[in-house]
Amino acid sequence: MWLFLVKYKYINSLFTHKNNTEHVTFYGITINQTTALQKIYYICSSETAVSETAISELGMKGMRFFDRTNEIASLREIRGMAKNNAQFTVVTGRRRIGKTFLVWKAYEDEPILYFFVARKAEGDLCEDYRLEIENKLGIPTIGRAEHFADVFEFLMKLSIERPITLFIDEFQEFFRVNKSVYSDMQRIWDMYSSKARINLVVCGSIYSMMTKIFKDKKEPLYNRQTRFMTVRPFTPAVLKEILMEY
């Protein structure tokens, strides 16, 4: 509740109330006061930050995609680079700020492999990933695997022959599934990355854990990433654009 009140106060402060009228002004836009309050409530009522609304709530329902042009351009540039040299991109940001949808939007023009790290047995995850590979790439895989290392090594080898984009979502959850995944990935990445043509994108919603995984010198994946991207909250100008639209 306190988070709602903080966000409500922040958004409400952006409006200029007109005395004795039913209208308010937000960055020069005059709208009905009831409508304004409904918009404020919509933006503030979730557990998320102000900036999450358009991407996570509106965008995923097929509505207009707002902003993120620089991030999309960077992700597409990285994909182009990966066709010659393996790329390892880390995408972080607040929970539900729109990281997943951002990556989907950037790569909507061609198929990508999407691995979601759910909290279940490693063997069951690998079976999900095997089906994803077969469905998206149309090729037989190694059969049922019990360890993610086997799936990852298969894809690293395959990317030597053909470019692949692999998107792993909620990457920090491997710590709960099997924390040795990170050391396995380090070994396999170091073994094949010089020859591979893989565009590996990993995303995580717990910033502290993602930072530890890639920036702590004691961790196996320390400094293995080629790019570290943080998705920031929307600016007031973009919030104005969203309110104009909805």
Side-chain angles (χ1 to χ4, degrees):
M1 183 64 182
W2 67 270
L3 183 59
F4 172 90
L5 292 174
V6 169
K7 290 190 288 184
Y8 180 93
K9 183 176 291 186
Y10 168 70
I11 296 294
N12 197 41
S13 70
L14 300 178
F15 287 82
T16 303
H17 292 262
K18 296 185 176 181
N19 295 330
N20 302 318
T21 71
E22 295 182 354
H23 294 80
V24 292
T25 300
F26 178 79
Y27 281 92
I29 309 168
T30 300
I31 56 178
N32 179 274
Q33 183 167 311
T34 301
T35 301
L37 291 174
Q38 289 174 342
K39 291 177 184 292
I40 296 172
Y41 183 83
Y42 180 75
I43 291 173
C44 298
S45 60
S46 70
E47 298 176 356
T48 59
V50 169
S51 60
E52 298 159 7
T53 306
I55 296 299
S56 300
E57 302 298 332
L58 301 178
M60 293 299 264
K61 294 177 182 178
M63 297 185 183
R64 180 182 166 194
F65 187 91
F66 287 90
D67 200 43
R68 308 302 189 199
T69 53
N70 291 336
E71 292 91 339
I72 290 173
S74 293
L75 287 169
R76 289 179 177 171
E77 178 187 12
I78 291 167
R79 182 180 60 184
M81 295 168 58
K83 292 179 180 179
N84 297 309
N85 303 103
Q87 300 294 310
F88 192 158
T89 304
V90 179
V91 180
T92 65
R94 293 177 180 175
R95 181 173 174 77
R96 296 184 65 200
I97 203 168
K99 302 178 296 297
T100 299
F101 194 45
L102 167 64
V103 177
W104 277 112
K105 183 67 177 178
Y107 298 143
E108 64 182 353
D109 56 339
E110 65 179 46
I112 67 172
L113 296 175
Y114 177 66
F115 291 0
F116 180 80
V117 187
R119 296 183 183 181
K120 53 182 171 180
E122 187 177 7
D124 293 336
L125 284 177
C126 290
E127 180 62 13
D128 293 342
Y129 302 158
R130 180 186 69 81
L131 295 174
E132 172 75 356
I133 294 168
E134 292 184 355
N135 290 335
K136 292 287 182 65
L137 301 184
I139 60 172
T141 59
I142 55 178
R144 182 175 176 87
E146 294 299 326
H147 301 288
F148 179 74
D150 297 328
V151 177
F152 186 60
E153 185 168 14
F154 171 80
L155 290 174
M156 288 294 288
K157 288 180 178 178
L158 183 63
S159 72
I160 297 174
E161 303 171 9
R162 57 185 289 184
I164 293 173
T165 293
L166 170 61
F167 175 28
I168 305 178
D169 202 358
E170 295 298 347
F171 186 71
Q172 77 282 339
E173 292 301 322
F174 272 133
F175 186 82
R176 298 175 183 270
V177 175
N178 177 5
K179 58 185 178 181
S180 69
V181 163
Y182 303 127
S183 56
D184 290 336
M185 288 186 70
Q186 178 224 330
R187 172 181 57 81
I188 296 166
W189 182 263
D190 291 349
M191 188 182 304
Y192 296 104
S193 61
S194 62
K195 300 172 288 184
R197 293 183 294 162
I198 190 168
N199 177 27
L200 175 60
V201 181
V202 301
C203 181
S205 58
I206 303 179
Y207 183 83
S208 58
M209 288 187 68
M210 293 295 286
T211 300
K212 176 179 174 60
I213 290 168
F214 292 100
K215 296 189 175 183
D216 187 332
K217 293 182 178 180
K218 297 179 182 179
E219 296 299 316
L221 287 177
Y222 169 72
N223 220 25
R224 290 308 190 279
Q225 79 280 1
T226 53
R227 188 80 61 93
F228 200 95
M229 178 185 297
T230 302
V231 180
R232 304 291 182 185
F234 285 141
T235 63
V238 175
L239 288 174
K240 171 184 174 180
E241 185 181 1
I242 295 169
L243 286 169
M244 288 180 66
E245 185 81 11
Y246 299 104

